């Protein structure tokens, strides 16, 4: 009897398979990983439909940042297919007006200029200050460059148009991991605490000295958390 779990990973904005590379590799002894491509659609509904079309009948689901928004949409569309849920560095609430305006400005700047990806000036929003001069910063910039400008616009449109997922949270009953970096500037720890408090079946973990990308900043710790989550009874 095969007791291996299908495991679907959902990347964040301007992220590709590199985001979850270490976890997909290091959990392959107990799970069959699939890293979704979220660069092709301009709504979270379409992203979720594409993931569901490619995914096995049932699966564990892990999303980071924008990937969390898509995870919530998957739960709206096909909750019976999700056996476990991991939400990293994400929020259930829609953007504040100021945050939404910042997204629109970034989109407008790209439409009249060239795509700059993740610049050195933007890295402090993504990584902990202790890692800004490490090779990881170059990896994050290279990942954003691979995703590219057209996909960035599609993803930002999807994020701006996403529904409020806060009303969904009390209905989530599967084993749920909620995790966030203690220094996350884009989705501060309070956002994850709110998710955790609304999902009775959830466990909250805070990564120390970590920014917005724990899967890359704290890869071994992230893998250990997901391993425990996958094997939780």
């Amino acid at each position: 009897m095969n007791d291996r779990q299908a495991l679907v990973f959902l990347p964040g904005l301007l992220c590709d398979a590199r985001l979850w590379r270490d976890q997909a590799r290091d959990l392959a002894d107990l799970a069959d990983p699939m890293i979704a491509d979220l660069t092709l659609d301009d709504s979270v509904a379409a992203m979720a439909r594409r993931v569901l079309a490619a995914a096995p009948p049932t699966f564990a689901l892990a999303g980071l940042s924008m990937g969390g928004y898509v995870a919530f949409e998957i739960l709206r569309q096909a909750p019976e297919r999700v056996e476990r849920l991991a939400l990293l560095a994400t929020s259930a609430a829609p953007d504040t007006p100021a945050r939404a305006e910042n997204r629109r400005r970034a989109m407008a700047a790209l439409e009249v200029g060239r795509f700059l990806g993740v610049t050195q000036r933007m890295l402090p929003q993504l990584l902990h200050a202790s890692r800004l001069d490490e090779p990881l910063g170059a990896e994050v910039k290279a990942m954003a460059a691979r995703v590219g400008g057209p996909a960035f616009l599609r993803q930002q449109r999807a994020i701006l148009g996403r529904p409020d997922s806060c009303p969904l949270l009390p209905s989530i009953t599967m084993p749920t991991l909620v995790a966030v970096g203690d220094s996350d500037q884009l989705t501060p720890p309070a956002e994850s605490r709110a998710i955790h408090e609304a999902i009775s079946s959830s466990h909250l973990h805070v990564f120390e000295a970590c920014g917005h990308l724990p899967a890359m900043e704290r890869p071994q710790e992230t893998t250990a958390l997901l391993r425990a989550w996958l094997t939780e009874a």
Side-chain angles (χ1 to χ4, degrees):
M1 181 176 177
N2 183 9
D3 58 358
R4 292 172 63 81
Q5 178 123 57
L7 174 56
V8 176
F9 290 107
L10 303 175
L13 174 71
L14 286 177
C15 296
D16 61 12
R18 169 59 186 92
L19 176 71
W20 293 110
R21 179 196 68 189
D22 295 346
Q23 290 73 42
R25 179 194 64 216
D26 295 340
L27 293 169
D29 61 313
L30 79 160
D32 294 319
M34 167 190 143
I35 303 178
D37 183 354
L38 301 184
T39 67
L40 303 172
D41 301 292
D42 63 1
S43 73
V44 293
M47 290 175 177
R49 286 193 296 269
R50 190 181 295 273
V51 173
L52 287 165
T58 60
F59 49 87
L61 183 63
L64 185 148
S65 195
M66 182 190 74
Y69 311 154
V70 179
F72 290 133
E73 181 61 26
I74 287 172
L75 289 176
R76 277 187 284 270
Q77 293 187 18
E80 72 284 354
R81 294 179 61 183
V82 181
E83 297 180 329
R84 298 173 187 273
L85 179 66
L87 299 165
L88 278 68
T90 196
S91 173
D95 282 346
T96 63
R99 188 75 186 277
E101 182 58 28
N102 286 340
R103 291 192 195 281
R104 294 187 185 97
R105 284 201 198 100
M107 295 168 69
L110 174 55
E111 287 167 347
V112 299
R114 65 187 183 91
F115 177 62
L116 299 178
V118 171
T119 63
Q120 193 66 30
R121 182 179 59 83
M122 291 171 59
L123 272 182
Q125 299 178 52
L126 297 171
L127 300 177
H128 188 267
S130 64
R131 294 188 183 85
L132 295 179
D133 297 322
E134 294 180 359
L136 185 59
E139 288 195 62
V140 170
K141 289 190 278 189
M143 179 169 64
R146 287 192 300 272
V147 172
F152 171 76
L153 290 175
R154 287 191 289 271
Q155 291 178 335
Q156 290 284 38
R157 283 194 289 270
I159 292 170
L160 282 167
R162 75 189 189 278
D164 182 355
S165 291
C166 293
L168 175 72
L169 300 180
S171 69
I172 297 174
T173 58
M174 71 278 291
T176 301
L177 169 66
V178 183
V180 66
D182 63 355
S183 302
D184 191 334
Q185 296 184 35
L186 294 181
T187 52
E191 299 283 347
S192 287
R193 290 193 183 96
I195 294 172
H196 164 60
E197 289 168 3
I199 301 176
S200 60
S201 58
S202 70
H203 167 72
L204 176 66
H205 179 84
V206 179
F207 296 92
E208 294 185 4
C210 184
H212 188 58
L213 301 175
M216 296 176 71
E217 295 181 72
R218 295 287 192 188
Q220 294 178 333
E221 187 177 351
T222 301
T223 297
L225 279 172
L226 293 178
R227 183 175 292 275
W229 163 73
L230 284 167
T231 56
E232 179 185 349

